C-alpha cells in the first residue's frame, strides 16, 4: 500500500516498552484545519493509526498517555466524535474531563465566554478538544489556550479529525487515494466534513470529484474555485444516479437541519436523497459507501448488509486516528 511511512515502531509488544520516536512536528500543535497536513504528515498519521489498531486488537490499550488529561468540551451534540476521543484517550491510559452532556450544565449557561472557559480548562488538562457552533471558534480558543486545542467541528467550517479518519478509511478500503473518483452527496454547503475532506483530497493526484446536492446546498463557491484553480476534474449534479456507476467512493452526508435559518427551506430538501439497494446494484463491485453519521434517512438500512457499506468500519477507524493524533500532539508518538 502507498502513503505509509517506515517509522521506528512505537510499541514493542514483546516487552510492552515504549520507544522514543519522532512526532513529525505535531507535538504541542493545535489541530484547527486540514491545511496543516501535508502528505508527509498524513502518511505519518496513517502509519501511527495502523499501530494503534494493532495495539487495540492485541492488548486493548496501554499507558502511553498515563498522567495526561484531555478536556472534551462540546457546545453541540455529538456521539461519535466525543466518544471516540474519550475512548482514544482512555485506551492510551489517559484521563478525560467530559463536558459533552450539554454545556447547560457548565458555567457556559451562566454566560461565560469561550476564552474564559478555555483558560479555565487548560488549568486542569494537557489538551482540549472543542466542538462549537461558530466558524472560527477553534482558532479563537487556540489563541487563548497554552495547551493544544483540537477542532472537533466549528459550525459549518471544518472538522479536521473527521477528514483524517475519512481519508484513512478510503486508504484502508481501496488501498490508495490517487486516481480515485469520489462522489460527495447531500449537504455540501453546511457539511463541515465535506469541506475538510475536499481540502485534504486536493493534496492527491488525479482525484476526480463529483458533487451531488440540491441547488441551495452546493459546495461553497470559494472551495469550488480553489478546486478548479488547482486543475481538479469537478462535476456538479442534483442526481445520485448520474455518479453512482463510476464512483469509487460515495460519501453521503446528512442535511444539516440546525444550520438552516429558514425551516421551510429545510423541509423542501430534507428527504432529497436515499441510497437504496436498487441504486447499489448499479455501483462498482469495489465501491465504498461512507457517511460521517448520524444518518437520518440518506442510506437505507438494507444497504448496511452490503460489504461496500463502510460507515461502521469508518467509525472504528476514528478511534485509531484520534489515538494517533492525541499521542502526537502530546509529544508521545
Ligand atoms: C458530523 C458533524 O458533526 O459534522 N458528524 C460527525 O462528527 N461524525 C456530521 C453531521 O453531523 O451530520
Amino acid at each position: 500500500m502507498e502513503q505509509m511511512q517506515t517509522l521506528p515502531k512505537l510499541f514493542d509488544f514483546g516487552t510492552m516498552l515504549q520507544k522514543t520516536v519522532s512526532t513529525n512536528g505535531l507535538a504541542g500543535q493545535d489541530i484547527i484545519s486540514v491545511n496543516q497536513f501535508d502528505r508527509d504528515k498524513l502518511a505519518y498519521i496513517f502509519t501511527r493509526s495502523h499501530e494503534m489498531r494493532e495495539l487495540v486488537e492485541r492488548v486493548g490499550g496501554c499507558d502511553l498517555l498515563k498522567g495526561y488529561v484531555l478536556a472534551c468540551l462540546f457546545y453541540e451534540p455529538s456521539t461519535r466524535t466525543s466518544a471516540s476521543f474519550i475512548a482514544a484517550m482512555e485506551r492510551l491510559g489517559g484521563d478525560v474531563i467530559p463536558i459533552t452532556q450539554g454545556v447547560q450544565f457548565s458555567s457556559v449557561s451562566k454566560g461565560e465566554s469561550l476564552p474564559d472557559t478555555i483558560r479555565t480548562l487548560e488549568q486542569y488538562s494537557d489538551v482540549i478538544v472543542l466542538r462549537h457552533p461558530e466558524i472560527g471558534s477553534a482558532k479563537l480558543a487556540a489563541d487563548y489556550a497554552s495547551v493544544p486545542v483540537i477542532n472537533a467541528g466549528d459550525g459549518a467550517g471544518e472538522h479536521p479529525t473527521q477528514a483524517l479518519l475519512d481519508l484513512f478509511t478510503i486508504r484502508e478500503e481501496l488501498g490508495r487515494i490517487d486516481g480515485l473518483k469520489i462522489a460527495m452527496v447531500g449537504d455540501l454547503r453546511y457539511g463541515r466534513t465535506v469541506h475538510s475532506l475536499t481540502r485534504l483530497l486536493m493534496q492527491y493526484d488525479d482525484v476526480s470529484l463529483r458533487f451531488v446536492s440540491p441547488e441551495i446546498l452546493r459546495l461553497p463557491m470559494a472551495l469550488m474555485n480553489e478546486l478548479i484553480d488547482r486543475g481538479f476534474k469537478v462535476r456538479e449534479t442534483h442526481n445520485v444516479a448520474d455518479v453512482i456507476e463510476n464512483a469509487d467512493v460515495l460519501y453521503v452526508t446528512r442535511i444539516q437541519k440546525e444550520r438552516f435559518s429558514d425551516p421551510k427551506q429545510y423541509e423542501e430538501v430534507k428527504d432529497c436523497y436515499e441510497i437504496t439497494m436498487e441504486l447499489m446494484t448499479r455501483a462498482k463491485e469495489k465501491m465504498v459507501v461512507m457517511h460521517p453519521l448520524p444518518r437520518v434517512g440518506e442510506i437505507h438500512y438494507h444497504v448496511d448488509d452490503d460489504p461496500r457499506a463502510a460507515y461502521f468500519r469508518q467509525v472504528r477507524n476514528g478511534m485509531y486516528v484520534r489515538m494517533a493524533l492525541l499521542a502526537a500532539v502530546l509529544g508521545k508518538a
Side-chain angles (χ1 to χ4, degrees):
M1 287 206 200
E2 56 158 17
Q3 295 133 12
M4 291 278 283
Q5 274 185 354
T6 314
L7 296 168
K9 278 258 196 187
L10 193 55
F11 307 105
D12 176 338
F13 290 105
T15 60
M16 282 309 287
L17 275 184
Q18 187 210 317
K19 306 285 183 69
T20 305
V21 288
S22 117
T23 60
N24 208 322
L26 290 165
Q29 296 296 301
D30 304 304
I31 308 292
I32 305 299
S33 161
V34 288
N35 292 338
Q36 294 168 248
F37 290 85
D38 56 17
R39 277 188 74 153
D40 192 46
K41 280 202 174 57
L42 292 171
Y44 171 82
I45 288 294
F46 295 158
T47 304
R48 284 287 179 247
S49 302
H50 260 284
E51 277 191 85
M52 295 303 178
R53 162 177 291 162
E54 199 186 343
L55 174 79
V56 171
E57 286 175 355
R58 280 176 180 238
V59 290
C62 69
D63 61 2
L64 185 72
L65 297 184
K66 191 172 162 48
Y68 289 88
V69 175
L70 161 70
C72 227
L73 177 62
F74 279 61
Y75 290 73
E76 278 190 343
S78 167
T79 300
R80 277 146 292 269
T81 308
S82 56
S84 69
F85 266 113
I86 293 169
M89 194 65 185
E90 292 187 348
R91 284 187 185 269
L92 291 174
D95 289 305
V96 182
I97 303 170
I99 308 181
T100 54
Q101 300 307 317
V103 286
Q104 68 268 31
F105 299 116
S106 75
S107 287
V108 169
S109 66
K110 301 179 186 167
E112 185 168 61
S113 69
L114 179 62
D116 279 4
T117 304
I118 291 292
R119 281 182 294 192
T120 300
L121 289 176
E122 72 174 1
Q123 309 300 326
Y124 313 133
S125 61
D126 305 288
V127 53
I128 297 172
V129 171
L130 173 71
R131 170 169 288 185
H132 193 280
E134 275 162 40
I135 295 179
S137 51
K139 170 78 177 65
L140 176 75
D143 288 344
Y144 283 92
S146 58
V147 299
V149 171
I150 301 179
N151 181 4
D154 62 330
E158 277 219 44
H159 194 346
T161 67
Q162 178 72 40
L164 291 172
L165 79 88
D166 291 342
L167 206 58
F168 180 70
T169 300
I170 296 173
R171 223 191 119 274
E172 291 295 289
E173 297 285 324
L174 297 174
R176 68 193 168 104
I177 292 155
D178 289 324
L180 292 180
K181 293 186 175 60
I182 299 176
M184 311 237 196
V185 181
D187 189 342
L188 313 182
R189 176 177 179 185
Y190 298 118
R192 54 195 174 197
T193 71
V194 169
H195 304 163
S196 290
L197 182 57
T198 302
R199 286 205 176 90
L200 273 191
L201 288 169
M202 285 192 216
Q203 305 222 19
Y204 290 83
D205 299 326
D206 198 28
V207 170
S208 304
L209 290 161
R210 308 276 185 266
F211 295 105
V212 185
S213 72
E215 187 61 31
I216 57 165
L217 298 178
R218 286 167 65 186
L219 195 76
M221 191 74 89
L223 200 47
M224 185 58 82
N225 287 341
E226 215 180 308
L227 283 166
I228 294 165
D229 288 349
R230 292 177 63 164
F232 278 84
K233 292 175 222 141
V234 177
R235 204 178 130 198
E236 287 183 281
T237 168
H238 301 317
N239 202 339
V240 182
D242 294 343
V243 303
I244 189 110
E245 278 160 34
N246 283 323
D248 298 302
V249 176
L250 197 66
Y251 187 92
V252 187
T253 62
R254 175 179 69 92
I255 308 297
Q256 311 272 302
K257 182 180 183 182
E258 65 276 26
R259 313 269 178 237
F260 283 74
S261 48
D262 177 358
K264 276 214 300 287
Q265 263 197 344
Y266 170 72
E267 289 299 320
E268 278 163 27
V269 291
K270 69 174 187 193
D271 294 321
C272 56
Y273 299 112
E274 188 187 22
I275 309 303
T276 58
M277 278 317 287
E278 199 276 309
L279 265 175
M280 290 293 284
T281 58
R282 296 155 68 178
K284 288 184 189 173
E285 212 179 302
K286 278 223 69 183
M287 178 264 245
V288 283
V289 185
M290 295 173 58
H291 194 308
L293 302 177
R295 68 174 146 179
V296 287
E298 309 82 44
I299 303 178
H300 195 281
Y301 287 102
H302 287 162
V303 177
D304 300 0
D305 297 327
D306 189 301
R308 293 169 291 185
Y311 25 95
F312 291 108
R313 296 192 289 276
Q314 188 182 350
V315 168
R316 185 143 183 107
N317 289 337
M319 181 173 71
Y320 304 133
V321 170
R322 289 175 174 130
M323 288 170 80
L325 266 178
L326 286 170
V329 301
L330 289 169
K332 301 293 274 185

